[in-house]
Amino acid sequence: MWFSFWKSRDRLSLDKLRYLTDQLIKLQTVNEVNKDFVVEALRSIAELITYGDQHDSAFFEFFMEKQVMGEFVRILKVSRTVTVSLQLLQTISIMIQNLKNEHAIYYMFSNEHMNYLITYSFDFQNEELLSYYISFLRAISGKLDRNTISLLVKTQNDEVVSFPLYDEAIHFASHEESMVRTAIRALTLNVYHVGDESVNKYVTSAPHADYFSNLVKFFRRQCINLNALVSDSTKNPGAESADTTTLISTAVDEIEDNLYYFSDVISAGIPDVGWLITDNILQLLIFPLLLPSLTIKAVEGIQIGAATSLYLVCCILRIVKIKDLANTISTALFCPLDAFFPESGAKPNGHTSFYGFAHESRPPGSNTKEGVGILRVDVPNESSSPHIHPVDVTRENDYCDSHLSLREALIYYIMSGDDIQVAGSLSVLATLLQTKELDESMLDALGILPQRKQHKKLLLQALVGEVSGEEQLFSSESSSSKDGTECGSELDSCLQKLKEQFGLLCSSLEVRASPQVHRFQVLDALVSLFCRSNISAETLWDGGWLLRQLLPYSESEFNSHHLKVLNDSYKNCTSALLKETRGVWPDLLVAVLCDEWKRCKRAIEASSPRKEPKCILLSSQRFSSEDGITSDSSFAAGERMCELVKVFVLLHQLQIFSLGRTFPEKPPINPPADVFENSRARSAGLDAAGPKLGTELRLVDAVPCRIAFERGKERHFSFLAISLGTSGWVVLAEELPLKEPYGVVRMVAPLAGSNFILVSSTRFFLLKPKPDDKNSRWLHLRIRPSTLPFLEPAKYGAYGKSKTKALVDGRWTLAFRDEESCNTALSMVLEEINLQSYEVERRLKPLLDLKSLVESSNSSQGPRTSSFHSTLSNSF
């Protein structure tokens, strides 16, 4: 029947189009017999129309003359197979996407054929059909402008009453398939960016405005699902941690994509859309879920952790850049917990009770009692600096827990929370500090207005005559508003809005407190953070960045208590670093310190935080015991050494900063020492590269031994321990009978770490390489890897996940001829380890002697001056 269809005919000719159209017109039904012809005809027509649009207008003129679009609709009506529906949607999508002629697009969108196809009841249980339908809708949206959009809407009295393309599309906005959701978002953005006022009014009117609240509700479900993943990863670390990290990373990407979509929608400029999104985010997410989660465990049956909440607050502030939203969230931080749930009891979030702060906003009726440590900020008069010190206060029935502000909750987490809570709280403060939509007065009220911005404001006031006297400009007291009046207007406006629009009441005592009090609470919390030993170095660096933003010029706001605790912490860290010179990795200590010095300096002096908020949830994955890594292994010792170096570098730079000095580009360390003439390295003929496999060495002081690397295969070697500067090796060499006393290097291992190390919960002990208890001729050595895998980033993927298995320690059991030979070898190992350790300590000596370093800096810089004062004087 369809034999004539296959006759030879020019594939891209008008005759071919005419023939295909005639055949389609003759069809009365589409069934299993003729469906293949129909599918091929539809595919060919799309190809011909696209070709004609670029080469011959007669093709589309014929298409309009024969009203082929109407035939497409008729074919769909008489079709009984899904294959034809698929091809029809694909054909029209291809035509819409490829037609360049405006008149052709107008024709395609006219006569209601397109709206009929949009509203047709397809069977969306077929996933392939749904995919083609969504692509069809998106193709239409790609051709929308002020002219074409009018062809797809229905109006009455100059108002849009129906817009099938938009109405049908938003039904799939929360579809389980991410590709569908992405396409619908692109479609809606195409609609919003047209800028048609009547369409804008349509999408923001009821019931279509429910789309925005449904979006936020869907987003909230995603947030709760993310929290479930984070909670599972915390409760069940181990073999599945890599899979969990991948799931968390995927969930984080989807959440951030949603927020970027919110931002894109707002940027389209539709007046009411920004308000709709802001209001829904606040009322459906921020107030009922995220902010209360900072201090309580349960929110009306929906659980979300503080870490997830902190991350989400950061993301919302960073991505959805709406001034009203940022100011409202910031103002809500002054609210106590009971402002969100005035009639319900609040449970502490986690196992630790909440600590409060006694200052000007202390709740009335609080009594003092021993056992609960908090902070008090005393501001005796306007001319004196605040002093912050621990005091005690009682809490009855968790009164303080529910009456303290969320701002104080963030400070509490910094002082007493775990590593994730600290990182999240620091990230929130850093995000607020960098949110351009926030007024400086709001930052000042929160206590995080950078000092440079304060001084800039004072400078401008001095230039226009609002402040009298240069001494007022440069006085430390002028860095904050003493009575809060300067920052009150914006804050008062936001407080009034919280009360009238959302029914939230903030503590007037908390708000009335001087910004200077809040500022010193933040400063004191940061100083306290730097003295904590249970927080990772990376998180401490984030605290260092925030401190540098608040105090970029000098130590003028450090009090004696701050300086003392920082100095004590620095001394303890210095002592621990000295022990590392006799630890497992002294050969890498200098190199790691120089590298971390540069990284820390860049991190603290950067203009923005170096880590994104998602790092709160996607922390570096460490090797577990299932990877063969135990706490007494050299790998674990290497991790501890690197952590210690990072903390030392930060505390050292804070010491320099507290003295008003600039950070040097490189750490002040001694250069390598010359090799002594009588050293074993010189006697063996070693160069700076060290022993290499297959090279020859002079076996001076070498001790003959036997070792079996395989069962039943014992080999004879000469054992030698050698140190060269900060490096050292244990060597097994085969003697050359014809070239005595030379030998060929067969085995090389690091000298450091050949001693055993036992670790307890509070300290570590170094044990000597030891002879065997049962055989005095045997010597046991631990052999560690030559390097630490995490010092080689190329071998690692995202967030520290290793691409290879971690290296584990080896063991050498050496058998000597007699006990004397064994003791000689042992003495040689200990002697060379000592020489290596002494050299590492010698190189670090200038860095560890901070007093001499400061005196040297004083002599080189001359009389000390205020860098800020100089900067402003130059500005004048």
Side-chain angles (χ1 to χ4, degrees):
M1 178 178 179
W2 304 106
F3 176 77
S4 60
F5 174 71
W6 304 106
K7 293 191 298 181
S8 176
R9 186 177 280 107
D10 187 358
R11 188 171 62 87
L12 297 176
S13 67
L14 189 57
D15 288 341
K16 177 72 175 289
L17 177 62
R18 185 178 292 108
Y19 169 78
L20 292 174
T21 303
D22 291 342
Q23 294 300 320
L24 288 180
I25 293 174
K26 294 177 182 179
L27 286 174
Q28 299 302 314
T29 185
V30 179
N31 50 35
E32 292 296 325
V33 177
N34 59 15
K35 69 175 184 179
D36 291 338
F37 165 76
V38 175
V39 168
E40 181 61 27
L42 291 173
R43 187 199 63 78
S44 298
I45 288 175
E47 184 180 18
L48 288 165
I49 295 301
T50 302
Y51 171 82
D53 184 67
Q54 300 175 6
H55 298 88
D56 188 349
S57 60
F59 282 74
F60 200 82
E61 290 175 0
F62 176 82
F63 183 86
M64 292 187 292
E65 178 186 346
K66 294 296 182 179
Q67 298 185 14
V68 179
M69 275 298 297
E71 288 300 317
F72 285 169
V73 171
R74 187 183 66 82
I75 290 294
L76 181 63
K77 292 178 179 179
V78 300
S79 174
R80 297 292 181 268
T81 63
V82 70
T83 307
V84 173
S85 299
L86 288 171
Q87 185 57 55
L88 181 62
L89 290 173
Q90 185 184 49
T91 293
I92 299 177
S93 298
I94 291 174
M95 291 173 60
I96 293 173
Q97 289 173 334
N98 291 281
L99 288 176
K100 307 299 182 183
N101 188 289
E102 290 185 1
H103 297 291
I105 294 295
Y106 294 159
Y107 174 79
M108 294 287 291
F109 285 4
S110 62
N111 299 322
E112 285 296 310
H113 294 315
M114 202 63 67
N115 279 340
Y116 178 84
L117 294 173
I118 291 172
T119 57
Y120 186 81
S121 298
F122 292 102
D123 180 15
F124 294 127
Q125 296 297 322
N126 186 310
E127 294 183 0
E128 187 178 11
L129 182 60
L130 174 62
S131 176
Y132 277 72
Y133 177 75
I134 296 299
S135 297
F136 163 66
L137 297 183
R138 185 171 180 178
I140 296 174
S141 72
K143 296 295 183 177
L144 293 180
D145 56 30
R146 290 180 180 270
N147 296 318
T148 57
I149 199 170
S150 62
L151 302 173
L152 298 174
V153 300
K154 296 179 181 179
T155 60
Q156 184 176 346
N157 298 328
D158 295 329
E159 290 189 359
V160 175
V161 295
S162 175
F163 189 5
L165 174 66
Y166 184 80
D167 295 340
E168 295 299 323
I170 61 177
H171 289 158
F172 301 95
S174 300
H175 195 271
E176 60 184 8
E177 177 59 48
S178 62
M179 295 297 291
V180 174
R181 297 197 302 270
T182 301
I184 297 305
R185 290 173 190 168
L187 182 152
T188 55
L189 288 175
N190 288 337
V191 171
Y192 301 149
H193 283 290
V194 169
D196 186 281
E197 292 184 5
S198 58
V199 172
N200 291 347
K201 184 178 180 181
Y202 176 81
V203 301
T204 55
S205 61
H208 316 291
D210 291 343
Y211 168 67
F212 301 105
S213 62
N214 291 334
L215 275 178
V216 178
K217 290 176 182 177
F218 177 76
F219 179 70
R220 187 169 99 155
R221 291 197 298 272
Q222 286 185 314
C223 295
I224 295 173
N225 293 337
L226 171 65
N227 181 74
L229 292 173
V230 173
S231 179
D232 289 343
S233 68
T234 303
K235 295 176 182 177
N236 305 307
E240 299 182 357
S241 60
D243 295 335
T244 303
T245 300
T246 301
L247 292 174
I248 293 176
S249 180
T250 301
V252 163
D253 290 341
E254 290 185 1
I255 280 176
E256 295 187 3
D257 286 344
N258 273 336
L259 289 174
Y260 279 113
Y261 172 64
F262 291 158
S263 179
D264 291 340
V265 171
I266 294 167
S267 67
I270 303 177
D272 292 334
V273 167
W275 175 84
L276 284 170
I277 291 179
T278 298
D279 187 68
N280 281 291
I281 288 177
L282 291 172
Q283 300 219 46
L284 297 176
L285 185 64
I286 298 293
F287 293 150
L289 191 64
L290 297 190
L291 294 186
S293 298
L294 297 180
T295 53
I296 64 174
K297 187 176 182 179
V299 182
E300 295 183 349
I302 299 177
Q303 293 187 348
I304 188 167
T308 308
S309 179
L310 291 167
Y311 158 74
L312 291 170
V313 170
C314 289
C315 278
I316 291 171
L317 289 171
R318 289 178 72 250
I319 298 175
V320 186
K321 298 182 180 300
I322 305 178
K323 182 176 182 179
D324 187 44
L325 178 64
N327 279 326
T328 304
I329 293 175
S330 301
T331 306
L333 294 178
F334 292 100
C335 293
L337 176 60
D338 56 9
F340 299 95
F341 299 97
E343 298 179 357
S344 62
K347 298 180 180 180
N349 189 5
H351 59 81
T352 309
S353 296
F354 191 79
Y355 286 169
F357 297 92
H359 50 63
E360 297 173 357
S361 63
R362 176 176 168 183
S366 297
N367 300 319
T368 58
K369 181 179 179 180
E370 291 185 358
V372 181
I374 63 171
L375 296 179
R376 183 178 74 242
V377 182
D378 295 331
V379 188
N381 54 63
E382 293 186 357
S383 61
S384 62
S385 298
H387 298 282
I388 305 177
H389 49 273
V391 298
D392 298 316
V393 71
T394 188
R395 291 171 296 121
E396 298 179 1
N397 299 322
D398 289 328
Y399 180 83
C400 289
D401 283 4
S402 60
H403 285 71
L404 289 170
S405 69
L406 298 179
R407 182 193 66 81
E408 290 172 315
L410 296 178
I411 295 176
Y412 161 73
Y413 280 138
I414 294 174
M415 299 181 67
S416 304
D418 59 32
D419 193 79
I420 294 178
Q421 292 168 339
V422 172
S425 299
L426 291 173
S427 185
V428 168
L429 294 179
T431 302
L432 289 169
L433 190 148
Q434 294 234 304
T435 301
K436 297 180 180 179
E437 290 72 27
L438 276 180
D439 288 341
E440 291 184 1
S441 59
M442 186 66 73
L443 295 178
D444 200 16
L446 291 167
I448 56 172
L449 180 64
Q451 196 180 69
R452 64 178 181 276
K453 290 187 177 181
Q454 297 175 1
H455 292 155
K456 179 182 178 182
K457 179 175 66 174
L458 292 171
L459 173 60
L460 293 175
Q461 291 174 346
L463 290 173
V464 298
E466 293 182 9
V467 179
S468 60
E470 187 176 330
E471 66 280 358
Q472 172 72 12
L473 178 61
F474 297 110
S475 63
S476 61
E477 296 79 23
S478 65
S479 61
S480 291
S481 303
K482 302 179 188 63
D483 56 2
T485 55
E486 293 184 20
C487 63
S489 56
E490 183 69 29
L491 182 59
D492 289 342
S493 174
C494 293
L495 288 171
Q496 189 67 20
K497 178 180 177 181
L498 283 180
K499 178 181 178 181
E500 296 177 355
Q501 187 171 341
F502 303 106
L504 291 177
L505 295 175
C506 294
S507 170
S508 59
L509 294 173
E510 160 76 1
V511 175
R512 196 170 62 234
S514 167
Q516 194 176 15
V517 172
H518 294 169
R519 179 179 180 81
F520 274 90
Q521 285 182 351
V522 176
L523 178 60
D524 195 82
L526 291 175
V527 172
S528 174
L529 171 65
F530 300 136
C531 301
R532 296 182 60 185
S533 59
N534 60 339
I535 302 299
S536 68
E538 294 287 323
T539 301
L540 294 179
W541 282 15
D542 295 338
W545 178 87
L546 182 59
L547 179 69
R548 187 63 188 269
Q549 294 298 308
L550 298 178
L551 306 175
Y553 298 111
S554 69
E555 82 295 353
S556 59
E557 295 193 44
F558 281 128
N559 58 32
S560 58
H561 173 70
H562 295 155
L563 297 175
K564 181 181 183 303
V565 295
L566 284 175
N567 189 52
D568 290 344
S569 183
Y570 173 73
K571 288 180 178 178
N572 293 335
C573 194
T574 301
S575 298
L577 190 68
L578 278 173
K579 292 180 181 179
E580 286 294 335
T581 63
R582 297 182 176 276
V584 182
W585 298 90
D587 47 338
L588 297 184
L589 187 57
V590 174
V592 170
L593 193 145
C594 291
D595 183 57
E596 297 299 339
W597 181 280
K598 296 176 183 177
R599 289 184 63 241
C600 183
K601 186 176 187 297
R602 287 198 301 266
I604 292 179
E605 295 179 347
S607 59
S608 59
R610 57 199 179 88
K611 293 190 298 185
E612 296 182 358
K614 61 184 175 183
C615 293
I616 301 171
L617 307 179
L618 298 169
S619 56
S620 297
Q621 183 179 342
R622 297 183 180 275
F623 291 92
S624 66
S625 58
E626 297 181 9
D627 300 305
I629 303 302
T630 57
S631 60
D632 63 343
S633 68
S634 65
F635 185 91
E639 282 191 323
R640 289 191 295 271
M641 182 269 289
C642 289
E643 277 288 294
L644 176 62
V645 168
K646 291 178 181 178
V647 175
F648 170 81
V649 167
L650 173 65
L651 292 177
H652 188 91
Q653 296 197 3
L654 288 177
Q655 288 289 314
I656 295 175
F657 175 68
S658 69
L659 296 169
R661 303 299 172 187
T662 58
F663 300 159
E665 293 294 330
K666 298 179 180 179
I669 59 175
N670 283 322
D674 295 332
V675 180
F676 295 111
E677 289 293 335
N678 58 349
S679 66
R680 285 193 177 89
R682 180 63 63 89
S683 300
L686 273 185
D687 56 19
K692 303 295 182 183
L693 295 179
T695 59
E696 295 184 2
L697 286 180
R698 292 188 66 216
L699 302 181
V700 179
D701 295 336
V703 183
C705 67
R706 292 172 289 122
I707 186 171
F709 293 106
E710 299 179 49
R711 184 180 295 275
K713 294 184 179 181
E714 194 174 71
R715 300 177 63 182
H716 292 262
F717 291 107
S718 293
F719 175 81
L720 195 62
I722 308 172
S723 66
L724 182 63
T726 60
S727 301
W729 307 269
V730 288
V731 178
L732 296 179
E734 286 183 340
E735 294 184 3
L736 294 175
L738 301 180
K739 195 176 180 181
E740 293 184 356
Y742 285 90
V744 179
V745 176
R746 297 305 183 194
M747 295 288 173
V748 179
L751 174 65
S754 59
N755 48 338
F756 287 83
I757 182 167
L758 299 180
V759 181
S760 70
S761 59
T762 57
R763 55 191 303 189
F764 61 88
F765 306 91
L766 294 178
L767 302 181
K768 299 179 180 179
K770 60 177 182 179
D772 192 277
D773 294 335
K774 298 180 181 179
N775 194 325
S776 60
R777 296 181 295 124
W778 288 5
L779 180 65
H780 298 282
L781 297 178
R782 180 180 67 177
I783 303 302
R784 47 141 254 225
S786 59
T787 188
L788 290 166
F790 52 80
L791 296 180
E792 301 176 8
K795 293 184 179 180
Y796 281 73
Y799 305 105
K801 183 179 177 183
S802 177
K803 297 179 181 179
T804 59
K805 290 185 177 180
L807 300 177
V808 298
D809 296 337
R811 293 289 188 271
W812 284 4
T813 300
L814 305 172
F816 295 91
R817 287 179 298 192
D818 49 41
E819 183 177 354
E820 182 181 356
S821 298
C822 182
N823 290 333
T824 300
L826 174 60
S827 299
M828 185 186 344
V829 171
L830 296 177
E831 180 183 348
E832 295 300 317
I833 285 178
N834 286 334
L835 290 174
Q836 181 184 17
S837 299
Y838 290 149
E839 172 60 13
V840 175
E841 188 174 340
R842 184 196 67 82
R843 293 199 62 187
L844 296 180
K845 185 177 181 180
L847 179 66
L848 303 180
D849 190 359
L850 184 63
K851 183 177 179 180
S852 299
L853 183 65
V854 171
E855 291 175 353
S856 174
S857 176
N858 287 339
S859 61
S860 62
Q861 294 186 17
R864 180 176 170 180
T865 59
S866 168
S867 58
F868 166 64
H869 193 289
S870 302
T871 302
L872 290 185
S873 297
N874 292 336
S875 299
F876 279 120

